[in-house]
Amino acid sequence: MKGSPSLSEAEIPVRPTKIRLETTTYCQLRCPSCPTTTGAINKAVGKGWLRLADFEKLITENPWLKEIELSNYGEMFLNPELGGILECAHRHGVELTADNGVNLNTVDDGMLESLVKFRFKKMRVSIDGASQETYGIYRRRGNFETVISNVRRINHFKKHHGSEFPRLAWQFIVYGHNEHELPRAREMAAELGMEFAAKLSWDSGFSPVVDAEFVRREGGLPASTREEFLENRGEDYMHGLCRQLWEQPQVNWDGKLLGCCRNFWGDFGGNVFRDGLMPSLNNEKMNHARAMLQGHKPARADIPCTTCQIYLTMRGNNRWLEMPEGVAGASG
C-alpha cells in the first residue's frame, strides 16, 4: 500500500458516473440462503419499491449520471413502476443494467419488449441448473421452463427490433446438487446467445460442492469454494465490492445510502432523494468508511463496514483496498 495521504487527498469528493439503485426489495422466490428470504434485510433495507418520481428527480438533478444498476436484494420486475423507469432513463440518456441478477420468473411480454425498446444495457439471469429438478432445489418457487421461455421472448423482441440489447448473461451459482449440470448449462447459454458466468456460493453450508476439481475446471473458477479462494489468495472472494463506495455506490429504493450492494445491516446517514446525491456520497461517515477500507482510519461502530466479513478479513490480513490512480477520493 502506498503512503498515507493528507486529509485533503483522502476526502476528495467522489462524483461517480454510475450508481446502484435498488428497484424493489420484494421477491417471489424463497431461496434458502438469501437474506431477503430470511428477513435479514428488513431492519436496514426494509420492504418497498423505487418510485418513478424519485428516479426522475435523481437523474434530473445529477445529469452526469450515465449508468444505473437496478438489481440487488429484490426482483426488479415486481416494481409496478418499472416501465416508467425504463422509459425515463432512455429519455434522459441513462443506461440501465441488472448485473446483480434477476430471476425472470414473473414478467409479461410488454415488459420484455420494453427492455428491448428502451435499450436496457445488460441483464444477468440467475439460473442455477439446467433442469427444473436441479434449478428448483435452491430457486424455490421458481420455474426453469418459464425462465428459459422468457429469455427466448427477449431474443424474439431483439430480433424483431434489430437490437443487441439487452445483452444477457446466465449466472450459475455452484452447489453440490447442480455442479454436474455446469457443462449443459454452458451449452444452453451459448444456444440462447447468453454469456455464461459460474459463481461461488456465499453459503458453503448449503449443498456443499462434491467434486472440487470438476467445479474449478467446468466453472472456469479460481477455486471451488470461497474458503478455498481466501486460503489461496489471502483476500475475500468479494473483495472488489468495497470499491463500490467510490465507483458505483448503492442507494436503497427509498433513497437511503447503503454504500455497497452487500450491506443490509446499516446505512451511512442522509437520504439521496431528500438531501441530494453528492452531499450523501461525501458525508462524514462515507469519507471515514473509505479511509477505513484503505487502512488509514480505525474501525468505528457507526460505520456499517465495521462488522462486514470482507472488512474484517482485510484488517486481519493487513491487506487493504487499493484504488486505481485517478479515482476521486482514492489515496495516492
Side-chain angles (χ1 to χ4, degrees):
M1 185 173 65
K2 299 177 183 179
S4 297
S6 67
L7 184 62
S8 60
E9 288 175 321
E11 297 185 358
I12 298 171
V14 301
R15 195 181 77 169
T17 59
K18 302 178 182 181
I19 64 168
R20 312 178 70 88
L21 181 57
E22 179 81 270
T23 320
T24 180
T25 49
Y26 289 105
C27 185
Q28 76 281 55
L29 303 192
R30 293 297 180 266
C31 307
S33 301
C34 178
T36 303
T37 296
T38 64
I41 70 168
N42 292 348
K43 182 178 179 181
V45 176
K47 294 291 187 181
W49 64 79
L50 173 67
R51 265 57 179 186
L52 171 59
D54 288 329
F55 180 81
E56 184 152 29
K57 179 174 183 285
L58 176 70
I59 61 176
T60 300
E61 292 180 349
N62 303 282
W64 61 83
L65 286 176
K66 302 302 179 186
E67 184 175 309
I68 298 177
E69 165 66 30
L70 292 180
S71 62
N72 199 27
Y73 283 119
E75 171 64 356
M76 178 179 77
F77 295 108
L78 299 184
N79 184 326
E81 300 189 43
L82 181 61
I85 290 169
L86 300 186
E87 187 278 329
C88 178
H90 182 69
R91 178 163 33 89
H92 286 274
V94 176
E95 292 183 328
L96 300 178
T97 64
D99 208 31
N100 195 299
V102 298
N103 66 59
L104 206 62
N105 272 272
T106 308
V107 57
D108 61 31
D109 260 17
M111 181 57 67
L112 295 177
E113 186 170 18
S114 290
L115 292 171
V116 179
K117 287 169 59 179
F118 297 125
R119 297 179 66 80
F120 198 92
K121 184 179 180 182
K122 183 177 180 182
M123 189 167 71
R124 189 176 293 252
V125 187
S126 299
I127 317 175
D128 313 318
S131 65
Q132 176 60 31
E133 181 181 15
T134 301
Y135 168 82
I137 291 174
Y138 187 73
R139 300 289 165 181
R140 296 179 184 175
R141 298 189 183 179
N143 186 286
F144 178 79
E145 292 302 329
T146 296
V147 176
I148 298 303
S149 175
N150 284 331
V151 170
R152 291 196 174 108
R153 291 300 291 164
I154 292 172
N155 287 338
H156 163 78
F157 290 123
K158 287 167 69 172
K159 183 176 180 180
H160 177 75
H161 289 282
S163 176
E164 64 178 307
F165 299 105
R167 298 190 180 111
L168 301 175
W170 180 314
Q171 178 173 273
F172 188 111
I173 299 178
V174 183
Y175 298 99
H177 67 264
N178 68 9
E179 62 186 55
H180 66 286
E181 289 191 341
L182 274 164
R184 177 56 185 148
R186 185 185 298 104
E187 290 174 2
M188 292 183 70
E191 292 165 3
L192 292 165
M194 304 174 77
E195 173 191 336
F196 184 77
K199 183 178 179 180
L200 299 178
S201 167
W202 74 272
D203 181 6
S204 60
F206 179 86
S207 188
V209 298
V210 177
D211 189 336
E213 182 180 350
F214 181 85
V215 166
R216 288 191 292 267
R217 182 178 71 248
E218 296 299 328
L221 293 163
S224 62
T225 65
R226 297 194 183 199
E227 291 79 7
E228 181 188 331
F229 184 95
L230 176 60
E231 183 178 352
N232 293 343
R233 301 288 185 90
E235 63 183 25
D236 194 279
Y237 180 62
M238 303 305 289
H239 184 82
L241 289 185
C242 301
R243 294 189 177 91
Q244 291 177 3
L245 270 71
W246 287 262
E247 298 175 337
Q248 200 174 12
Q250 179 75 47
V251 178
N252 200 32
W253 59 271
D254 58 0
K256 190 183 299 179
L257 183 61
L258 299 177
C260 78
C261 67
R262 177 74 180 97
N263 175 29
F264 57 79
W265 46 85
D267 65 79
F268 286 89
N271 185 288
V272 168
F273 300 149
R274 183 188 65 230
D275 307 321
L277 182 61
M278 284 290 286
S280 298
L281 293 182
N282 296 285
N283 67 24
E284 189 275 336
K285 288 179 73 172
M286 282 289 281
N287 286 334
H288 189 95
R290 293 186 188 107
M292 270 177 55
L293 293 169
Q294 295 175 95
H296 298 306
K297 286 190 177 181
R300 211 171 74 189
D302 64 330
I303 305 295
C305 310
T306 299
T307 56
C308 177
Q309 188 57 51
I310 300 174
Y311 171 74
L312 294 175
T313 298
M314 283 186 200
R315 189 173 68 179
N317 294 342
N318 198 33
R319 291 184 60 172
W320 301 105
L321 191 68
E322 292 190 11
M323 295 298 300
E325 291 185 11
V327 175
S331 307

